[in-house]
Amino acid sequence: MKQRDINRVVIVLVVALVLALGMMQFRIQRDSHRLEEVNQVLQHGVRVQGQVTQVEWTQHSGDWVHYVFQVNGSEYTGESPLGAMASPAVGQSIPIVYLPSNPHINTLANGVEADWLQSLIRALRLVQVLEVPLGVLAVGYLRYLGKRYVRGK
């Protein structure tokens, strides 16, 4: 491997690091916005009974429940992580809270989504903090290997 090839790998690694940091920041901002909505719903929302339409398992975030509920004759949908809550059956009644000013903003009444989002945001911030020093170490190590290889040692 030539020094030029190692420099290309370093450039690709740096670009990937910058893109990953940007994507991570976008995800943190999106989830923080949702956490604000969920907290607002939990504090000021109206409680109704919804009906489970689907329970879905995802590899990255576990069980999610999809539900439907009605407000003044209009139907609204939502989804929320279940956390440690037992998976309800499709068709089962489930307590929901929604914002009276915008029923599209809703969540499960037990607040598990807020806990889940807080944990996720903390984990993403930790990864974001660790990503920079690990990236710098990786770039430094690649540069070291390149110089060592060029000298033939």
Side-chain angles (χ1 to χ4, degrees):
M1 186 181 281
K2 296 181 181 178
Q3 181 66 38
R4 183 179 66 211
D5 295 333
I6 291 172
N7 288 342
R8 286 181 184 159
V9 170
V10 168
I11 290 169
V12 167
L13 182 62
V14 169
V15 168
L17 179 67
V18 169
L19 288 174
L21 284 170
M23 290 173 24
M24 189 98 42
Q25 186 59 36
F26 173 78
R27 176 72 192 257
I28 289 169
Q29 287 177 333
R30 186 189 71 185
D31 290 342
S32 295
H33 176 72
R34 177 62 183 159
L35 179 58
E36 288 174 16
E37 288 181 340
V38 168
N39 284 333
Q40 188 178 14
V41 169
L42 292 172
Q43 291 173 6
H44 307 290
V46 174
R47 188 179 178 126
V48 296
Q49 287 300 113
Q51 186 174 30
V52 175
T53 58
Q54 178 184 0
V55 177
E56 170 185 35
W57 183 84
T58 63
Q59 185 177 12
H60 301 290
S61 53
D63 287 336
W64 279 70
V65 63
H66 300 257
Y67 51 83
V68 62
F69 63 99
Q70 293 205 358
V71 176
N72 299 327
S74 295
E75 190 171 272
Y76 297 90
T77 61
E79 63 183 31
S80 181
L82 286 171
M85 184 176 147
S87 293
V90 172
Q92 183 177 335
S93 183
I94 191 164
I96 308 297
V97 288
Y98 70 90
L99 276 183
S101 60
N102 185 358
H104 292 285
I105 300 176
N106 57 73
T107 191
L108 293 179
N110 64 4
V112 70
E113 186 175 6
D115 296 338
W116 182 83
L117 284 166
Q118 287 171 347
S119 296
L120 178 63
I121 292 166
R122 276 195 298 271
L124 288 172
R125 285 188 176 141
L126 177 62
V127 169
Q128 192 177 37
V129 166
L130 293 176
E131 192 172 22
V132 172
L134 291 176
V136 170
L137 285 173
V139 167
Y141 185 66
L142 283 170
R143 300 219 26 111
Y144 164 76
L145 288 179
K147 288 177 184 176
R148 188 171 171 200
Y149 181 78
V150 169
R151 282 186 264 152
K153 294 181 180 178

